Amino acid sequence: MSAVTSEAVRIFPGPAPRLFGYDPRFGKCDSINFPYTNLKCQRKRRLRFAKVLKCSSVVHNGVRSSRLWGTGGAWFRSTSVNGLCLLRCNCQRAETGSLNEISTQDGNGAWFVESSKIIDPINGIVNGPSALEFQDVQQSSQEREAFVTNGNLSPTETPKSLIPRVSVDSIEDEAWELLQKSMVYYCGSPIGTIAAMDPTSSNVLNYDQVFIRDFIPSGIAFLLKGEYDIVRNFILHTLQLQSWEKTMDCHSPGQGLMPASFKVRTVPLDGDESATEEVLDPDFGEAAIGRVAPVDSGLWWIILLRAYGKCSGDLSVQERVDVQTGIKMILRLCLADGFDMFPTLLVTDGSCMIDRRMGIHGHPLEIQALFYSALLCAREMLAPEDGSADLIRALNNRLVALSFHIREYYWIDMRKLNEIYRYKTEEYSYDAVNKFNIYPDQISPWLVEWMPNKGGYLIGNLQPAHMDFRFFSLGNLWSVVSSLSTMDQSHAILDLIEAKWSDLVADMPFKICYPALEGQEWQIITGCDPKNTPWSYHNGGSWPTLLWQLTVACIKMNRAGIAAKAVEVAERRISRDKWPEYYDTKRGRLIGKQARLFQTWSIAGYLVAKQLLASPSKAKILFTEEDSDLVNAFSCMISANPRRKRNRKGLKQSYIV
């Protein structure tokens, strides 16, 4: 068996090539070349274990190409592609021995690898086996592919034989086993986890892909367990996929957009039937149901990046020039000027966890909470330099305006409900009390009966003449985690959860929103969506993955007992029900009609909740404390009385406050 194919491969001089490195001489290099670095990974089907890896740059026919400096003086070529962009990593592997001699056509020299070592495609250095490999490196590829191959069920196995065997003594051990089996590999390294591993579903759709938002609880679970490599690989590979010139119907989204998901595909190599190549195929929403761009992906990516640094102690990742550039691009996309008068982000329906039409277009709370959290995390990680001064100044201004806006206008409790009930309308003045012209008749009878005397929450959305009074769990929980809500408001949110336990938790935690849209309201707002029927899926369904956000919020407020009680409720049946994606009915008694089984973020959400309850201090990697500058600025705005009449000369701020 030949150790090396005869195909000419470009060899890089010096040590192993660094895929994302930069040379100090090019400190201000054109950093927009990083995300679309296209590498080819060429692998013989008959060669299963790589001992020598050779990488070559590949140029595709695209609209633009550029160069990126690499270690040893070699250049990588980056190509922007309209339409389907595939990230390729061509790693040709030898089965035995090390190379004694490698020839090149361009005379760039060669580097050698000992047979006991492999190349980390992200680190760009020679490494031994990773601690994160869960001993899968020693397993045969047949054993691993018998259950799942990068999210694709093996065609040689029947669904019955693919059902995971529960040979563990506890639910937690079973969950870890399932989470490990959901891992996706790219060129031999773990890169993420697929959305679901349901062997009973014949229609895979995109559940075999790695979703940015779905991986967050998986990544947190790995971090808390001390297994950092998969999170590091995920962060850097998704950064490569960050959109520069993605096009749908002759339109390109803003620079900095992160994909909703990606899939590792194994395709035949052109011109060689005995070889295959692995490619990363991202989806920015152009293939998603509804064709909606994922606003939350970049925000979650920043939050996970900070958590990785805090948990692992490895700050070198966030200090890299390409990562710093990726952070700045996400911030510029979010902080870009527009027509909106409010500091909140204006988004379309379906641009977050609720990714179908549910009437959340405008300024949904979930996006604002993640936006606020990402701004705080980014400010903490951005390297101080002259080029970042304006961006940091805009970031600080937005933090102050956003926190005031949400706390003042999104908050609802019995006192505020009485105030809204007595609102006067059609007020045209600078000192209007009813700034958004909210009509008191919008107050639904359910809200009057549902609101407890003790407790409150942040409403789901606010627009001119419209307040969405539904309780959205993720937005409220993450407002507590990120300190977007005040201390009193945060405690009040948890008070409400306790008071309305039978509605929000019941037989399975946790309601994604309350109440459900029903009748004509459901028909008009969802468009008669057959998946979002009342008390199902996003329309009042119960989602076990929300356990981890609930746990972080409770630990932050020193009320972990609430989360422990919810976890106990979930443990009664979640394993027996085979880890569903969501539950139906008002109390969450039935497995969701279209729910996938063995849903990865249901598994990971449970694991993170258990880990944090066992070690509450570790939750600090996720929540942020409000700094003194924000507290002082907020106090000044309150003391200035935002309802006081203001003349035009004194109106210096860009936002309505």
mmCIF file with all atom_site columns, all heavy atoms in Angstrom, residues 601-624:
data_model
loop_
_atom_site.group_PDB
_atom_site.id
_atom_site.type_symbol
_atom_site.label_atom_id
_atom_site.label_alt_id
_atom_site.label_comp_id
_atom_site.label_asym_id
_atom_site.label_entity_id
_atom_site.label_seq_id
_atom_site.pdbx_PDB_ins_code
_atom_site.Cartn_x
_atom_site.Cartn_y
_atom_site.Cartn_z
_atom_site.occupancy
_atom_site.B_iso_or_equiv
_atom_site.pdbx_formal_charge
_atom_site.auth_seq_id
_atom_site.auth_comp_id
_atom_site.auth_asym_id
_atom_site.auth_atom_id
_atom_site.pdbx_PDB_model_num
ATOM 1   N N   . TRP A 1 601 ? -29.393 19.141 22.208 1.00 0.00 ? 601 TRP A N   1
ATOM 2   C CA  . TRP A 1 601 ? -29.377 20.214 23.191 1.00 0.00 ? 601 TRP A CA  1
ATOM 3   C C   . TRP A 1 601 ? -30.330 19.949 24.356 1.00 0.00 ? 601 TRP A C   1
ATOM 4   O O   . TRP A 1 601 ? -30.211 20.582 25.403 1.00 0.00 ? 601 TRP A O   1
ATOM 5   C CB  . TRP A 1 601 ? -29.570 21.582 22.563 1.00 0.00 ? 601 TRP A CB  1
ATOM 6   C CG  . TRP A 1 601 ? -30.912 21.942 21.993 1.00 0.00 ? 601 TRP A CG  1
ATOM 7   C CD1 . TRP A 1 601 ? -31.992 21.139 21.797 1.00 0.00 ? 601 TRP A CD1 1
ATOM 8   C CD2 . TRP A 1 601 ? -31.293 23.244 21.557 1.00 0.00 ? 601 TRP A CD2 1
ATOM 9   N NE1 . TRP A 1 601 ? -33.027 21.849 21.256 1.00 0.00 ? 601 TRP A NE1 1
ATOM 10  C CE2 . TRP A 1 601 ? -32.625 23.150 21.095 1.00 0.00 ? 601 TRP A CE2 1
ATOM 11  C CE3 . TRP A 1 601 ? -30.661 24.476 21.488 1.00 0.00 ? 601 TRP A CE3 1
ATOM 12  C CZ2 . TRP A 1 601 ? -33.324 24.242 20.580 1.00 0.00 ? 601 TRP A CZ2 1
ATOM 13  C CZ3 . TRP A 1 601 ? -31.353 25.554 20.973 1.00 0.00 ? 601 TRP A CZ3 1
ATOM 14  C CH2 . TRP A 1 601 ? -32.663 25.435 20.526 1.00 0.00 ? 601 TRP A CH2 1
ATOM 15  N N   . SER A 1 602 ? -31.235 18.996 24.223 1.00 0.00 ? 602 SER A N   1
ATOM 16  C CA  . SER A 1 602 ? -31.980 18.534 25.397 1.00 0.00 ? 602 SER A CA  1
ATOM 17  C C   . SER A 1 602 ? -31.050 17.763 26.323 1.00 0.00 ? 602 SER A C   1
ATOM 18  O O   . SER A 1 602 ? -31.089 17.923 27.549 1.00 0.00 ? 602 SER A O   1
ATOM 19  C CB  . SER A 1 602 ? -33.151 17.637 24.974 1.00 0.00 ? 602 SER A CB  1
ATOM 20  O OG  . SER A 1 602 ? -34.115 18.363 24.229 1.00 0.00 ? 602 SER A OG  1
ATOM 21  N N   . ILE A 1 603 ? -30.204 16.936 25.716 1.00 0.00 ? 603 ILE A N   1
ATOM 22  C CA  . ILE A 1 603 ? -29.221 16.171 26.484 1.00 0.00 ? 603 ILE A CA  1
ATOM 23  C C   . ILE A 1 603 ? -28.209 17.103 27.147 1.00 0.00 ? 603 ILE A C   1
ATOM 24  O O   . ILE A 1 603 ? -27.938 17.015 28.348 1.00 0.00 ? 603 ILE A O   1
ATOM 25  C CB  . ILE A 1 603 ? -28.500 15.169 25.556 1.00 0.00 ? 603 ILE A CB  1
ATOM 26  C CG1 . ILE A 1 603 ? -29.500 14.160 24.979 1.00 0.00 ? 603 ILE A CG1 1
ATOM 27  C CG2 . ILE A 1 603 ? -27.365 14.467 26.283 1.00 0.00 ? 603 ILE A CG2 1
ATOM 28  C CD1 . ILE A 1 603 ? -28.958 13.348 23.822 1.00 0.00 ? 603 ILE A CD1 1
ATOM 29  N N   . ALA A 1 604 ? -27.644 18.024 26.354 1.00 0.00 ? 604 ALA A N   1
ATOM 30  C CA  . ALA A 1 604 ? -26.612 18.924 26.870 1.00 0.00 ? 604 ALA A CA  1
ATOM 31  C C   . ALA A 1 604 ? -27.182 19.895 27.894 1.00 0.00 ? 604 ALA A C   1
ATOM 32  O O   . ALA A 1 604 ? -26.507 20.233 28.878 1.00 0.00 ? 604 ALA A O   1
ATOM 33  C CB  . ALA A 1 604 ? -25.964 19.688 25.719 1.00 0.00 ? 604 ALA A CB  1
ATOM 34  N N   . GLY A 1 605 ? -28.404 20.372 27.687 1.00 0.00 ? 605 GLY A N   1
ATOM 35  C CA  . GLY A 1 605 ? -29.014 21.289 28.649 1.00 0.00 ? 605 GLY A CA  1
ATOM 36  C C   . GLY A 1 605 ? -29.168 20.656 30.017 1.00 0.00 ? 605 GLY A C   1
ATOM 37  O O   . GLY A 1 605 ? -28.918 21.294 31.053 1.00 0.00 ? 605 GLY A O   1
ATOM 38  N N   . TYR A 1 606 ? -29.553 19.384 30.023 1.00 0.00 ? 606 TYR A N   1
ATOM 39  C CA  . TYR A 1 606 ? -29.662 18.655 31.286 1.00 0.00 ? 606 TYR A CA  1
ATOM 40  C C   . TYR A 1 606 ? -28.288 18.499 31.943 1.00 0.00 ? 606 TYR A C   1
ATOM 41  O O   . TYR A 1 606 ? -28.134 18.702 33.153 1.00 0.00 ? 606 TYR A O   1
ATOM 42  C CB  . TYR A 1 606 ? -30.296 17.290 31.034 1.00 0.00 ? 606 TYR A CB  1
ATOM 43  C CG  . TYR A 1 606 ? -30.157 16.323 32.191 1.00 0.00 ? 606 TYR A CG  1
ATOM 44  C CD1 . TYR A 1 606 ? -30.975 16.431 33.314 1.00 0.00 ? 606 TYR A CD1 1
ATOM 45  C CD2 . TYR A 1 606 ? -29.191 15.314 32.170 1.00 0.00 ? 606 TYR A CD2 1
ATOM 46  C CE1 . TYR A 1 606 ? -30.840 15.555 34.382 1.00 0.00 ? 606 TYR A CE1 1
ATOM 47  C CE2 . TYR A 1 606 ? -29.062 14.431 33.233 1.00 0.00 ? 606 TYR A CE2 1
ATOM 48  C CZ  . TYR A 1 606 ? -29.883 14.556 34.335 1.00 0.00 ? 606 TYR A CZ  1
ATOM 49  O OH  . TYR A 1 606 ? -29.748 13.696 35.386 1.00 0.00 ? 606 TYR A OH  1
ATOM 50  N N   . LEU A 1 607 ? -27.276 18.150 31.149 1.00 0.00 ? 607 LEU A N   1
ATOM 51  C CA  . LEU A 1 607 ? -25.931 17.952 31.691 1.00 0.00 ? 607 LEU A CA  1
ATOM 52  C C   . LEU A 1 607 ? -25.362 19.236 32.287 1.00 0.00 ? 607 LEU A C   1
ATOM 53  O O   . LEU A 1 607 ? -24.757 19.223 33.369 1.00 0.00 ? 607 LEU A O   1
ATOM 54  C CB  . LEU A 1 607 ? -25.002 17.420 30.601 1.00 0.00 ? 607 LEU A CB  1
ATOM 55  C CG  . LEU A 1 607 ? -25.186 15.959 30.210 1.00 0.00 ? 607 LEU A CG  1
ATOM 56  C CD1 . LEU A 1 607 ? -24.317 15.618 29.008 1.00 0.00 ? 607 LEU A CD1 1
ATOM 57  C CD2 . LEU A 1 607 ? -24.857 15.038 31.381 1.00 0.00 ? 607 LEU A CD2 1
ATOM 58  N N   . VAL A 1 608 ? -25.547 20.357 31.591 1.00 0.00 ? 608 VAL A N   1
ATOM 59  C CA  . VAL A 1 608 ? -25.038 21.629 32.113 1.00 0.00 ? 608 VAL A CA  1
ATOM 60  C C   . VAL A 1 608 ? -25.732 21.974 33.422 1.00 0.00 ? 608 VAL A C   1
ATOM 61  O O   . VAL A 1 608 ? -25.088 22.424 34.384 1.00 0.00 ? 608 VAL A O   1
ATOM 62  C CB  . VAL A 1 608 ? -25.234 22.754 31.075 1.00 0.00 ? 608 VAL A CB  1
ATOM 63  C CG1 . VAL A 1 608 ? -24.878 24.106 31.672 1.00 0.00 ? 608 VAL A CG1 1
ATOM 64  C CG2 . VAL A 1 608 ? -24.374 22.497 29.842 1.00 0.00 ? 608 VAL A CG2 1
ATOM 65  N N   . ALA A 1 609 ? -27.045 21.752 33.485 1.00 0.00 ? 609 ALA A N   1
ATOM 66  C CA  . ALA A 1 609 ? -27.776 22.031 34.719 1.00 0.00 ? 609 ALA A CA  1
ATOM 67  C C   . ALA A 1 609 ? -27.238 21.190 35.878 1.00 0.00 ? 609 ALA A C   1
ATOM 68  O O   . ALA A 1 609 ? -27.017 21.693 36.984 1.00 0.00 ? 609 ALA A O   1
ATOM 69  C CB  . ALA A 1 609 ? -29.266 21.772 34.510 1.00 0.00 ? 609 ALA A CB  1
ATOM 70  N N   . LYS A 1 610 ? -26.998 19.909 35.631 1.00 0.00 ? 610 LYS A N   1
ATOM 71  C CA  . LYS A 1 610 ? -26.462 19.035 36.678 1.00 0.00 ? 610 LYS A CA  1
ATOM 72  C C   . LYS A 1 610 ? -25.056 19.456 37.099 1.00 0.00 ? 610 LYS A C   1
ATOM 73  O O   . LYS A 1 610 ? -24.724 19.468 38.295 1.00 0.00 ? 610 LYS A O   1
ATOM 74  C CB  . LYS A 1 610 ? -26.447 17.589 36.178 1.00 0.00 ? 610 LYS A CB  1
ATOM 75  C CG  . LYS A 1 610 ? -27.822 16.987 35.953 1.00 0.00 ? 610 LYS A CG  1
ATOM 76  C CD  . LYS A 1 610 ? -28.545 16.717 37.261 1.00 0.00 ? 610 LYS A CD  1
ATOM 77  C CE  . LYS A 1 610 ? -27.928 15.552 38.015 1.00 0.00 ? 610 LYS A CE  1
ATOM 78  N NZ  . LYS A 1 610 ? -28.709 15.206 39.234 1.00 0.00 ? 610 LYS A NZ  1
ATOM 79  N N   . GLN A 1 611 ? -24.214 19.801 36.120 1.00 0.00 ? 611 GLN A N   1
ATOM 80  C CA  . GLN A 1 611 ? -22.849 20.200 36.439 1.00 0.00 ? 611 GLN A CA  1
ATOM 81  C C   . GLN A 1 611 ? -22.818 21.476 37.276 1.00 0.00 ? 611 GLN A C   1
ATOM 82  O O   . GLN A 1 611 ? -22.051 21.586 38.232 1.00 0.00 ? 611 GLN A O   1
ATOM 83  C CB  . GLN A 1 611 ? -22.053 20.408 35.151 1.00 0.00 ? 611 GLN A CB  1
ATOM 84  C CG  . GLN A 1 611 ? -21.715 19.129 34.398 1.00 0.00 ? 611 GLN A CG  1
ATOM 85  C CD  . GLN A 1 611 ? -21.112 19.433 33.037 1.00 0.00 ? 611 GLN A CD  1
ATOM 86  O OE1 . GLN A 1 611 ? -21.765 20.006 32.168 1.00 0.00 ? 611 GLN A OE1 1
ATOM 87  N NE2 . GLN A 1 611 ? -19.860 19.061 32.848 1.00 0.00 ? 611 GLN A NE2 1
ATOM 88  N N   . LEU A 1 612 ? -23.642 22.444 36.899 1.00 0.00 ? 612 LEU A N   1
ATOM 89  C CA  . LEU A 1 612 ? -23.642 23.718 37.614 1.00 0.00 ? 612 LEU A CA  1
ATOM 90  C C   . LEU A 1 612 ? -24.244 23.587 39.005 1.00 0.00 ? 612 LEU A C   1
ATOM 91  O O   . LEU A 1 612 ? -23.796 24.251 39.942 1.00 0.00 ? 612 LEU A O   1
ATOM 92  C CB  . LEU A 1 612 ? -24.403 24.770 36.798 1.00 0.00 ? 612 LEU A CB  1
ATOM 93  C CG  . LEU A 1 612 ? -23.746 25.187 35.487 1.00 0.00 ? 612 LEU A CG  1
ATOM 94  C CD1 . LEU A 1 612 ? -24.599 26.212 34.762 1.00 0.00 ? 612 LEU A CD1 1
ATOM 95  C CD2 . LEU A 1 612 ? -22.341 25.735 35.723 1.00 0.00 ? 612 LEU A CD2 1
ATOM 96  N N   . LEU A 1 613 ? -25.264 22.760 39.152 1.00 0.00 ? 613 LEU A N   1
ATOM 97  C CA  . LEU A 1 613 ? -25.822 22.547 40.482 1.00 0.00 ? 613 LEU A CA  1
ATOM 98  C C   . LEU A 1 613 ? -24.812 21.850 41.396 1.00 0.00 ? 613 LEU A C   1
ATOM 99  O O   . LEU A 1 613 ? -24.798 22.080 42.609 1.00 0.00 ? 613 LEU A O   1
ATOM 100 C CB  . LEU A 1 613 ? -27.108 21.730 40.390 1.00 0.00 ? 613 LEU A CB  1
ATOM 101 C CG  . LEU A 1 613 ? -28.319 22.465 39.802 1.00 0.00 ? 613 LEU A CG  1
ATOM 102 C CD1 . LEU A 1 613 ? -29.483 21.509 39.606 1.00 0.00 ? 613 LEU A CD1 1
ATOM 103 C CD2 . LEU A 1 613 ? -28.729 23.637 40.693 1.00 0.00 ? 613 LEU A CD2 1
ATOM 104 N N   . ALA A 1 614 ? -23.961 20.997 40.816 1.00 0.00 ? 614 ALA A N   1
ATOM 105 C CA  . ALA A 1 614 ? -22.919 20.329 41.594 1.00 0.00 ? 614 ALA A CA  1
ATOM 106 C C   . ALA A 1 614 ? -21.774 21.286 41.931 1.00 0.00 ? 614 ALA A C   1
ATOM 107 O O   . ALA A 1 614 ? -21.154 21.168 42.996 1.00 0.00 ? 614 ALA A O   1
ATOM 108 C CB  . ALA A 1 614 ? -22.386 19.119 40.829 1.00 0.00 ? 614 ALA A CB  1
ATOM 109 N N   . SER A 1 615 ? -21.480 22.231 41.037 1.00 0.00 ? 615 SER A N   1
ATOM 110 C CA  . SER A 1 615 ? -20.400 23.209 41.259 1.00 0.00 ? 615 SER A CA  1
ATOM 111 C C   . SER A 1 615 ? -20.900 24.597 40.872 1.00 0.00 ? 615 SER A C   1
ATOM 112 O O   . SER A 1 615 ? -20.604 25.100 39.776 1.00 0.00 ? 615 SER A O   1
ATOM 113 C CB  . SER A 1 615 ? -19.158 22.844 40.440 1.00 0.00 ? 615 SER A CB  1
ATOM 114 O OG  . SER A 1 615 ? -18.692 21.546 40.766 1.00 0.00 ? 615 SER A OG  1
ATOM 115 N N   . PRO A 1 616 ? -21.680 25.241 41.711 1.00 0.00 ? 616 PRO A N   1
ATOM 116 C CA  . PRO A 1 616 ? -22.305 26.530 41.358 1.00 0.00 ? 616 PRO A CA  1
ATOM 117 C C   . PRO A 1 616 ? -21.313 27.624 40.984 1.00 0.00 ? 616 PRO A C   1
ATOM 118 O O   . PRO A 1 616 ? -21.636 28.505 40.182 1.00 0.00 ? 616 PRO A O   1
ATOM 119 C CB  . PRO A 1 616 ? -23.091 26.897 42.628 1.00 0.00 ? 616 PRO A CB  1
ATOM 120 C CG  . PRO A 1 616 ? -23.320 25.602 43.327 1.00 0.00 ? 616 PRO A CG  1
ATOM 121 C CD  . PRO A 1 616 ? -22.105 24.772 43.041 1.00 0.00 ? 616 PRO A CD  1
ATOM 122 N N   . SER A 1 617 ? -20.110 27.581 41.538 1.00 0.00 ? 617 SER A N   1
ATOM 123 C CA  . SER A 1 617 ? -19.140 28.643 41.252 1.00 0.00 ? 617 SER A CA  1
ATOM 124 C C   . SER A 1 617 ? -18.743 28.676 39.779 1.00 0.00 ? 617 SER A C   1
ATOM 125 O O   . SER A 1 617 ? -18.309 29.716 39.272 1.00 0.00 ? 617 SER A O   1
ATOM 126 C CB  . SER A 1 617 ? -17.895 28.463 42.119 1.00 0.00 ? 617 SER A CB  1
ATOM 127 O OG  . SER A 1 617 ? -17.256 27.217 41.844 1.00 0.00 ? 617 SER A OG  1
ATOM 128 N N   . LYS A 1 618 ? -18.895 27.555 39.083 1.00 0.00 ? 618 LYS A N   1
ATOM 129 C CA  . LYS A 1 618 ? -18.517 27.509 37.673 1.00 0.00 ? 618 LYS A CA  1
ATOM 130 C C   . LYS A 1 618 ? -19.470 28.295 36.779 1.00 0.00 ? 618 LYS A C   1
ATOM 131 O O   . LYS A 1 618 ? -19.148 28.570 35.624 1.00 0.00 ? 618 LYS A O   1
ATOM 132 C CB  . LYS A 1 618 ? -18.449 26.056 37.199 1.00 0.00 ? 618 LYS A CB  1
ATOM 133 C CG  . LYS A 1 618 ? -17.332 25.249 37.846 1.00 0.00 ? 618 LYS A CG  1
ATOM 134 C CD  . LYS A 1 618 ? -17.281 23.828 37.298 1.00 0.00 ? 618 LYS A CD  1
ATOM 135 C CE  . LYS A 1 618 ? -16.140 23.034 37.923 1.00 0.00 ? 618 LYS A CE  1
ATOM 136 N NZ  . LYS A 1 618 ? -16.087 21.642 37.422 1.00 0.00 ? 618 LYS A NZ  1
ATOM 137 N N   . ALA A 1 619 ? -20.630 28.658 37.300 1.00 0.00 ? 619 ALA A N   1
ATOM 138 C CA  . ALA A 1 619 ? -21.583 29.428 36.509 1.00 0.00 ? 619 ALA A CA  1
ATOM 139 C C   . ALA A 1 619 ? -21.067 30.818 36.191 1.00 0.00 ? 619 ALA A C   1
ATOM 140 O O   . ALA A 1 619 ? -21.602 31.499 35.309 1.00 0.00 ? 619 ALA A O   1
ATOM 141 C CB  . ALA A 1 619 ? -22.920 29.522 37.241 1.00 0.00 ? 619 ALA A CB  1
ATOM 142 N N   . LYS A 1 620 ? -20.016 31.244 36.883 1.00 0.00 ? 620 LYS A N   1
ATOM 143 C CA  . LYS A 1 620 ? -19.475 32.583 36.660 1.00 0.00 ? 620 LYS A CA  1
ATOM 144 C C   . LYS A 1 620 ? -18.913 32.760 35.255 1.00 0.00 ? 620 LYS A C   1
ATOM 145 O O   . LYS A 1 620 ? -18.738 33.897 34.804 1.00 0.00 ? 620 LYS A O   1
ATOM 146 C CB  . LYS A 1 620 ? -18.389 32.885 37.696 1.00 0.00 ? 620 LYS A CB  1
ATOM 147 C CG  . LYS A 1 620 ? -18.920 33.009 39.115 1.00 0.00 ? 620 LYS A CG  1
ATOM 148 C CD  . LYS A 1 620 ? -17.812 33.323 40.102 1.00 0.00 ? 620 LYS A CD  1
ATOM 149 C CE  . LYS A 1 620 ? -18.354 33.465 41.521 1.00 0.00 ? 620 LYS A CE  1
ATOM 150 N NZ  . LYS A 1 620 ? -17.280 33.753 42.502 1.00 0.00 ? 620 LYS A NZ  1
ATOM 151 N N   . ILE A 1 621 ? -18.613 31.668 34.564 1.00 0.00 ? 621 ILE A N   1
ATOM 152 C CA  . ILE A 1 621 ? -18.092 31.801 33.206 1.00 0.00 ? 621 ILE A CA  1
ATOM 153 C C   . ILE A 1 621 ? -19.169 32.300 32.252 1.00 0.00 ? 621 ILE A C   1
ATOM 154 O O   . ILE A 1 621 ? -18.856 32.720 31.128 1.00 0.00 ? 621 ILE A O   1
ATOM 155 C CB  . ILE A 1 621 ? -17.528 30.463 32.684 1.00 0.00 ? 621 ILE A CB  1
ATOM 156 C CG1 . ILE A 1 621 ? -18.651 29.436 32.472 1.00 0.00 ? 621 ILE A CG1 1
ATOM 157 C CG2 . ILE A 1 621 ? -16.467 29.927 33.616 1.00 0.00 ? 621 ILE A CG2 1
ATOM 158 C CD1 . ILE A 1 621 ? -18.218 28.167 31.773 1.00 0.00 ? 621 ILE A CD1 1
ATOM 159 N N   . LEU A 1 622 ? -20.431 32.292 32.696 1.00 0.00 ? 622 LEU A N   1
ATOM 160 C CA  . LEU A 1 622 ? -21.534 32.646 31.813 1.00 0.00 ? 622 LEU A CA  1
ATOM 161 C C   . LEU A 1 622 ? -22.180 33.979 32.158 1.00 0.00 ? 622 LEU A C   1
ATOM 162 O O   . LEU A 1 622 ? -22.536 34.740 31.264 1.00 0.00 ? 622 LEU A O   1
ATOM 163 C CB  . LEU A 1 622 ? -22.595 31.541 31.834 1.00 0.00 ? 622 LEU A CB  1
ATOM 164 C CG  . LEU A 1 622 ? -22.173 30.222 31.199 1.00 0.00 ? 622 LEU A CG  1
ATOM 165 C CD1 . LEU A 1 622 ? -23.141 29.111 31.558 1.00 0.00 ? 622 LEU A CD1 1
ATOM 166 C CD2 . LEU A 1 622 ? -22.082 30.373 29.685 1.00 0.00 ? 622 LEU A CD2 1
ATOM 167 N N   . PHE A 1 623 ? -22.375 34.259 33.446 1.00 0.00 ? 623 PHE A N   1
ATOM 168 C CA  . PHE A 1 623 ? -23.089 35.489 33.732 1.00 0.00 ? 623 PHE A CA  1
ATOM 169 C C   . PHE A 1 623 ? -22.140 36.665 33.874 1.00 0.00 ? 623 PHE A C   1
ATOM 170 O O   . PHE A 1 623 ? -20.947 36.508 34.107 1.00 0.00 ? 623 PHE A O   1
ATOM 171 C CB  . PHE A 1 623 ? -24.011 35.349 34.945 1.00 0.00 ? 623 PHE A CB  1
ATOM 172 C CG  . PHE A 1 623 ? -23.361 34.919 36.232 1.00 0.00 ? 623 PHE A CG  1
ATOM 173 C CD1 . PHE A 1 623 ? -22.473 35.741 36.915 1.00 0.00 ? 623 PHE A CD1 1
ATOM 174 C CD2 . PHE A 1 623 ? -23.675 33.697 36.794 1.00 0.00 ? 623 PHE A CD2 1
ATOM 175 C CE1 . PHE A 1 623 ? -21.911 35.361 38.114 1.00 0.00 ? 623 PHE A CE1 1
ATOM 176 C CE2 . PHE A 1 623 ? -23.107 33.295 37.996 1.00 0.00 ? 623 PHE A CE2 1
ATOM 177 C CZ  . PHE A 1 623 ? -22.220 34.128 38.654 1.00 0.00 ? 623 PHE A CZ  1
ATOM 178 N N   . THR A 1 624 ? -22.708 37.835 33.699 1.00 0.00 ? 624 THR A N   1
ATOM 179 C CA  . THR A 1 624 ? -21.943 39.077 33.780 1.00 0.00 ? 624 THR A CA  1
ATOM 180 C C   . THR A 1 624 ? -22.551 39.952 34.869 1.00 0.00 ? 624 THR A C   1
ATOM 181 O O   . THR A 1 624 ? -23.770 40.018 35.028 1.00 0.00 ? 624 THR A O   1
ATOM 182 C CB  . THR A 1 624 ? -21.963 39.839 32.444 1.00 0.00 ? 624 THR A CB  1
ATOM 183 O OG1 . THR A 1 624 ? -23.319 39.994 31.999 1.00 0.00 ? 624 THR A OG1 1
ATOM 184 C CG2 . THR A 1 624 ? -21.185 39.093 31.385 1.00 0.00 ? 624 THR A CG2 1
#
